[in-house]
Amino acid sequence: MQSFEFVRAQDASAAVAASARSNTAQQGASVRFVAGGTTLLDLMKLNVERPLQVVDINRLPLDKIEPLPDGGLKIGATVRNSDLAQDPVVRRDYAVLSQALLAGASAQLRNMATTGGNLLQRTRCMYFRDTSMPSNKR
Amino acid sequence: MKKSTESPEPASREPRLSRRAFLASAGTVGVATVISPNNLMAQPMNQAAASASTAGAEGAVPLTLRINGNEHRLRLDPRTTLLDCLRENVVLTGTKKGCDHGQCGACTVHVNGRRVNSCLSLAVMHAGDEITTIEGIGQPGALHPMQSAFVAHDAYQCGYCTCGQIMSAVALLKEPWGPKDDDVREAMSGNICRCGAYPNIVAAIQQVRGKS
């Protein structure tokens, strides 16, 4: 794993500002957010992800699941998969989402993995994960 | 930091030498005899030892972790996973490294009461968290009911996955799973046992849940 600077984001705007200085994922993102770490650490151990700075967003107040007036649901970036799957509103109104979450990974990983991390998750392709193989996505 | 490197070992309470202490000393003697006539081999082994134990002075950050109710003041390379920190820096070797990629569950510990894969988490992310390892849930002579049930049901063969299995099983008791054996199998699917002790593991867990 390549060395990196570890910083804990004090607020969302500081985290966004740190990320804005980064190049893109396709260029090998130099700044990465970490919440659960289940994908990021996995890929960093393989030297697929080699950020120079890792920004911990776990202490930000982004772990809320809030119903919206229009009937929608606002899910915070650091809501854990297990909490989202077991949320009473999600189970009642978004049963497929709950079932899909519970069908993925393991209980341990679901306790770590977050909604934001799911959206940022990179491909599971074996060529992508193997740095000795060419991959135009890495 | 390291009050007693052998404190979590049951054997340390007894006058006889522990298995870990014996292997560690035998390993040192073995390495010394191999490398003493040949300095070329000594170099990479020393480098490997240094990177594993001291975690590199450059870029190390101070960190206090609360593990099994005790505060541990550490200086760690930010790359150190929670698993490596527990095993190499705090010397709580009950937590095992299996795949190191979150697939096998041997490294399962509790963070704030929830089970996680310690191999996919950085130690520096856990300042302020309450970390519990297998050493924190029971002791020789005062086993956790789940530990006793694993013994009673012979829920292991080689034992390498057992600490992770038990940590997962203890966490499972507080999670919303159904009563059936199949529910336990699904709940425990993040813990792989290469010996195939699964039927006995399920029986042990169901006994503790009162579902057997």
Side-chain angles (χ1 to χ4, degrees):
Chain A
M1 193 188 299
Q2 180 181 284
S3 291
F4 57 85
E5 180 196 14
F6 179 85
V7 294
R8 179 168 281 178
Q10 299 303 315
D11 54 58
S13 59
V16 171
S19 176
R21 290 193 294 272
S22 175
N23 44 15
T24 67
Q26 298 289 346
Q27 298 163 331
S30 53
V31 179
R32 278 296 193 193
F33 296 140
V34 68
T38 53
T39 289
L40 185 66
L41 266 290
D42 185 28
L43 293 177
M44 283 169 69
K45 287 179 181 186
L46 299 170
N47 283 328
V48 173
E49 286 283 346
R50 294 183 297 167
L52 299 173
Q53 187 181 64
V54 173
V55 180
D56 182 357
I57 61 167
N58 280 300
R59 297 300 194 274
L60 300 183
L62 302 173
D63 58 348
K64 306 288 188 297
I65 304 168
E66 301 162 279
L68 296 174
D70 65 0
L73 204 60
K74 182 180 172 187
I75 302 167
T78 61
V79 172
R80 309 288 153 175
N81 279 11
S82 50
D83 292 331
L84 186 58
Q86 300 299 346
D87 183 81
V89 176
V90 173
R91 285 170 59 99
R92 187 191 66 206
D93 298 339
Y94 302 90
V96 172
L97 174 60
S98 177
Q99 290 169 26
L101 286 163
L102 292 175
S106 66
Q108 290 99 309
L109 290 170
R110 291 193 293 270
N111 279 342
M112 305 168 78
T114 61
T115 303
N118 257 321
L119 298 177
L120 291 172
Q121 189 170 199
R122 305 204 68 189
T123 175
R124 309 295 295 177
C125 167
M126 292 305 288
Y127 293 102
F128 177 79
R129 293 171 60 86
D130 183 354
T131 54
S132 67
M133 301 295 289
S135 164
N136 59 9
K137 202 166 176 57
R138 194 171 57 229
Chain B
M1 183 175 101
K2 294 175 186 173
K3 285 176 292 186
S4 166
T5 56
E6 287 301 309
S7 61
E9 290 289 326
S12 67
R13 295 185 166 192
E14 299 163 21
R16 67 187 173 85
L17 186 64
S18 77
R19 181 177 57 176
R20 178 167 300 278
F22 172 77
L23 289 173
S25 60
T28 307
V29 171
V31 169
T33 45
V34 171
I35 64 175
S36 54
N38 186 350
N39 281 332
L40 288 174
M41 280 191 69
Q43 198 174 2
M45 301 201 84
N46 287 343
Q47 282 174 351
S51 65
S53 58
T54 64
E58 189 191 345
V61 294
L63 172 71
T64 301
L65 289 182
R66 189 165 173 80
I67 304 164
N68 301 331
N70 298 316
E71 302 256 322
H72 294 266
R73 297 166 70 86
L74 306 160
R75 278 191 72 82
L76 295 177
D77 186 312
R79 289 174 290 183
T80 312
T81 61
L82 179 58
L83 169 63
D84 286 341
C85 170
L86 291 171
R87 289 185 55 82
E88 307 293 338
N89 300 98
V90 189
V91 198
L92 291 171
T93 51
T95 307
K96 297 293 187 273
K97 181 183 279 194
C99 68
D100 209 25
H101 282 279
Q103 297 167 5
C104 76
C107 67
T108 302
V109 300
H110 298 176
V111 173
N112 300 327
R114 294 156 60 116
R115 51 174 161 160
V116 300
N117 295 120
S118 61
C119 73
L120 287 185
S121 201
L122 296 171
V124 288
M125 291 160 59
H126 293 288
D129 286 340
E130 187 70 48
I131 298 157
T132 308
T133 69
I134 188 74
E135 291 90 347
I137 66 158
Q139 292 294 323
L143 296 180
H144 187 283
M146 192 63 76
Q147 292 175 307
S148 301
F150 267 63
V151 173
H153 288 271
D154 201 17
Y156 43 76
Q157 285 184 42
C158 81
Y160 197 81
C161 73
T162 306
C163 296
Q165 298 276 2
I166 290 174
M167 293 309 285
S168 239
V170 170
L172 176 162
L173 299 175
K174 293 181 289 181
E175 295 171 355
W177 295 98
K180 299 195 192 78
D181 285 5
D182 269 356
D183 297 317
V184 173
R185 291 189 190 101
E186 176 64 30
M188 295 295 293
S189 65
N191 291 81
I192 309 298
C193 168
R194 216 171 79 162
C195 301
Y198 298 112
N200 298 9
I201 291 170
V202 172
I205 294 170
Q206 289 292 56
Q207 182 205 303
V208 176
R209 300 174 88 211
K211 311 285 188 199
S212 58

